[in-house]
Amino acid sequence: MASTVDPLPALSEHAPRVREDSSDFFGADPMLPAPYRIHKRRQELSDTFTLELAPADSSRSLAFGPGQFNMLYAFGAGEAPVSISGNPANPATLVHTIRAVGPVTEALWDLKSGDVLGVRGPFGAAWPVAEAEGSDVVIVAGGIGLAPLRPAIYHVLNQREKYGSVCIYYGARTPADILYRSELEKWRGQFDLTVDVTVDRATGKWSGKVGVVTRLVARGGFDPSQTVALVCGPEIMMRYAVKSLKQQGVANDRIYVSMERNMKCAVGFCGHCQLGPYFICRDGPVLRFDRIEPLFEIREL
Amino acid sequence: MTAAPSSPTASAILDSAELDRLIAGLSGEGYQVIGPTIRDGAVVYEPLQTAAALPWGWADRQDGGSYRLVKSERNAAFDHVVGPQSWKRYLYPPVQRLWQAQRRGRGFLGVTRNPPTPHYAFFGVRSCELHAIQIQDRVFNNGAFADPGYLARRAAAFIVAVNCARPAGACFCASMNTGPRASEGFDLALTELLDSERHEFLVEVGSAKGAAILGCLSYRPAGDSDIKAAQTVWDAAANAMGRTMPAGVETLLKHNLEHPRWDEVGQRCLNCGNCTLVCPTCFCTTMEDVTDLTGRTAERWRKWDSCFTLDFSYIHGGSIRRDSRSRYRQWLTHKLANWHDQFGSSGCVGCGRCITWCPVGIDITEEARAIRDNGG
Ligand SMILES: Cc1cc2nc3c(=O)[nH]c(=O)nc-3n(C[C@H](O)[C@H](O)[C@H](O)COP(=O)(O)OP(=O)(O)OC[C@H]3O[C@@H](n4cnc5c(N)ncnc54)[C@H](O)[C@@H]3O)c2cc1C
Ligand code: SF4
Ligand code: SF4
Ligand code: FES
């Protein structure tokens, strides 16, 4: 990792962030990160934190669709794909919730308010929040999978009148792993939302539900024939959630899942994120379930 | 130029001695001429100063897992076919620095200093390779995003195609509709006309750039008998092709993702990744981040990668494609099936490199046939 490089002569502070070779002609380089400054860092869970960012070199705002992601670069450590977890109505602040699991996310963990990291994006397909207007919306999330769904929740809440019943079903491993806990509690108190949380394993003084999130789906609270379902979590959890939604009568082509794959570029160049014919970075991460159902069944595809 | 095979629209005859002046002319125009030459027992693509460096009088014997250069019975410049390298190493270098950044206070400054775009003249590009280049054009300019470095190198390149006089033992371009005759995508295309009477080249002009270079050489217009002689060469190559890809392989593979043949080939495959490195269309890369000893300068490098590594599909919790079988299936189904959905064509141009350079001689045409013939 720490091999040596020849330092090039430093360019001036005001050097344009573009290539010298014909970049005007061929357009911007999608591999160059833009500097963003951390304005706030919030500890969410023992291994999970949220960063609020704004551009370090301009006041441009980053419009994004709920479900899209950015490539976050920690100086010298590398890049990781991370979903945007903030409110799409407030694109001036870029919000990311990150679980530290390896070299890059640990380097991001070490950053403090005021530090600068690199951002490329936004990339990928969004949750179908416009298509879902007029329908009931069921959101099924597992673990950190709530982060990519939060912008969709915000969007639906911003325009609550455009949707039918809205259910948020969330599963975490233990009570200590419940992400956005105070927000979930606030939403639970809202009369026009059904919010239910379950844990795989109760610890401490948890008096809530214990069991897999698919059981919450089975309790209904929505009209299956009029429902759009958005699902994000570990692949195994999504498998069961989809099964449960289908058992309730939600059609394949109204269920959406967000897939995770190894990603090195996010722009269709590196090949790492393929799932059958799809580039998850470009055609996903959000995919309509009927499109990938045949592939979903195949081991190690 | 897309002339019908038997009637090139603008063609000329060059004496073989003019190849030197063609190379010199290209150099004079500021191109770095890259072409076939022999190194370590194989034909590789390297900078050419003169035509003398071409593999005159050598031909290759290729088969599953084997490559050998042999003296041919005639002194042709282009009796060899494709070697282990392809032009992608120039258009799309194996190791490339994407950018460098300097630490500044609590932040960093992104800066890049890439060398000016090289102007390459590729000398001796085969028809399958022209198709491979066009396939990579679609990869690196996919509608949503473009790789400016690739596009700049590509736009600056001059292409001298060569029509194959003979296929190599692993070739199957005819069944992929990618050869053996170059039909478009070149600036100039050569067909070597060599018999007891003469050693000349038919030159077809494919662009204004090509016409301008040809204008600097001494040539005579091609006559009907020249075209006829060239046609004999083109036909001979097409008719001698020993391998074929079964028709309908795209749907065949898509419908057989759980075929037992994947287990079988997965046991033979060493997961060495040779096939992906020699393939002229394979484009997968990984990133490497480095810092200097002071930690003040960081760089991001892009390197060729292979879907045969475990790391390739790694996500937190473990790799997706753990078995050799799954990785082989990824390579073959991507190349021959999913590529159609992604880029509107097959990802295979039938050059045969993956067959020749596979240490255990796995032949993708045979794998496809085995699936078809065993209940696929
Ligand atoms: C579209 C998308 C959205 C995402 N959104 C979020 C999000 O909102 N929040 C979030 O926290 N995460 C998110 N993720 C997951 C996140 O990208 C990964 O957790 C992150 O990339 C981990 O990177 P890392 O370098 O920290 O660790 P790792 O990926 O664990 O390690 C980095 C590298 O180390 C190597 N490596 C490490 N361990 C092994 C091993 N056992 N075997 C082989 N190689 C190994 C691999 O080569 C790997 O590339 C998302 C992922 C995707 C694809
Ligand atoms: S898959 Fe094999 S035969 Fe086809 S283009 Fe690649 S190396 Fe050549
Ligand atoms: S098919 Fe052959 S060349 Fe390709 S990874 Fe397997 S053993 Fe190596
Ligand atoms: S992440 Fe590189 S192709 Fe999708």
Side-chain angles (χ1 to χ4, degrees), chain B residues 172 275 278-281 331 335 347-355 364:
Chain B
F172 55 100
C275 48
V278 296
C279 178
T281 68
W331 142 255
K335 195 103 308 207
C348 174
V349 298
C351 73
R353 284 181 178 89
C354 59
I355 302 172
I364 65 170

Side-chain angles (χ1 to χ4, degrees), chain A residues 1-23 25-35 37 71 73-79 99 101-102 112-118 120 122-123 235 260-279 282-283 294-295 297-301, chain B residues 92 96-104 106-117 139-142 144-149 151-153 155 254 257-258 263 283-293 295-302 305-306 309 311-316 319-327 329-330 333-334 338-339 341-343:
Chain A
M1 205 62 165
S3 30
T4 315
V5 298
D6 312 325
L8 294 181
L11 299 183
S12 90
E13 286 278 350
H14 304 289
R17 254 187 355 91
V18 293
R19 283 174 182 270
E20 291 182 339
D21 53 5
S22 328
S23 61
F25 183 69
F26 292 107
D29 187 339
M31 298 308 289
L32 286 179
R37 195 173 298 280
M71 295 299 279
Y73 170 72
F75 188 84
E79 273 187 339
R99 186 152 79 101
V101 297
K112 296 171 184 60
S113 183
D115 287 347
V116 171
L117 50 73
R120 295 192 292 125
F123 297 117
E235 214 159 301
E260 181 178 351
R261 283 295 179 271
N262 187 306
M263 291 188 182
K264 296 293 184 198
C265 76
V267 294
F269 296 164
C270 79
H272 280 249
C273 67
Q274 291 176 83
L275 171 65
Y278 301 112
F279 285 106
R282 201 179 65 189
D283 306 308
L295 307 175
E297 308 298 322
I298 294 169
R299 208 173 55 84
E300 294 197 8
L301 196 61
Chain B
Y92 182 48
Q96 209 188 324
R97 191 176 68 189
L98 292 177
W99 47 260
Q100 183 187 65
Q102 314 284 344
R103 205 181 262 295
R104 284 279 187 285
R106 305 189 65 182
F108 62 89
L109 193 73
V111 291
T112 43
R113 273 267 169 111
N114 282 321
T117 301
V139 171
F140 294 116
N141 189 1
N142 60 28
F145 300 100
D147 178 341
L151 292 192
R153 288 186 293 277
K254 282 186 177 170
L257 293 174
E258 302 280 25
D263 295 306
F283 59 84
C284 290
T285 48
T286 189
M287 300 295 171
E288 203 168 286
D289 291 275
V290 294
T291 50
D292 67 0
L293 292 177
R296 298 193 60 80
T297 304
E299 295 186 342
R300 186 137 243 257
W301 288 77
R302 178 162 79 179
D305 199 4
S306 171
T309 69
D311 256 18
F312 188 86
S313 65
Y314 178 81
I315 55 176
H316 181 63
S319 294
I320 306 267
R321 298 184 201 104
R322 287 173 215 226
D323 291 350
S324 165
R325 153 196 194 277
S326 313
R327 283 175 262 156
R329 179 178 64 188
Q330 170 60 20
T333 53
H334 183 217
N338 295 330
W339 209 290
D341 302 276
Q342 299 171 344
F343 303 110

Side-chain angles (χ1 to χ4, degrees), chain B residues 264-280:
Chain B
E264 196 276 332
V265 66
Q267 278 169 23
R268 278 180 289 138
C269 175
L270 310 174
N271 288 268
C272 67
N274 268 12
C275 48
T276 56
L277 294 178
V278 296
C279 178

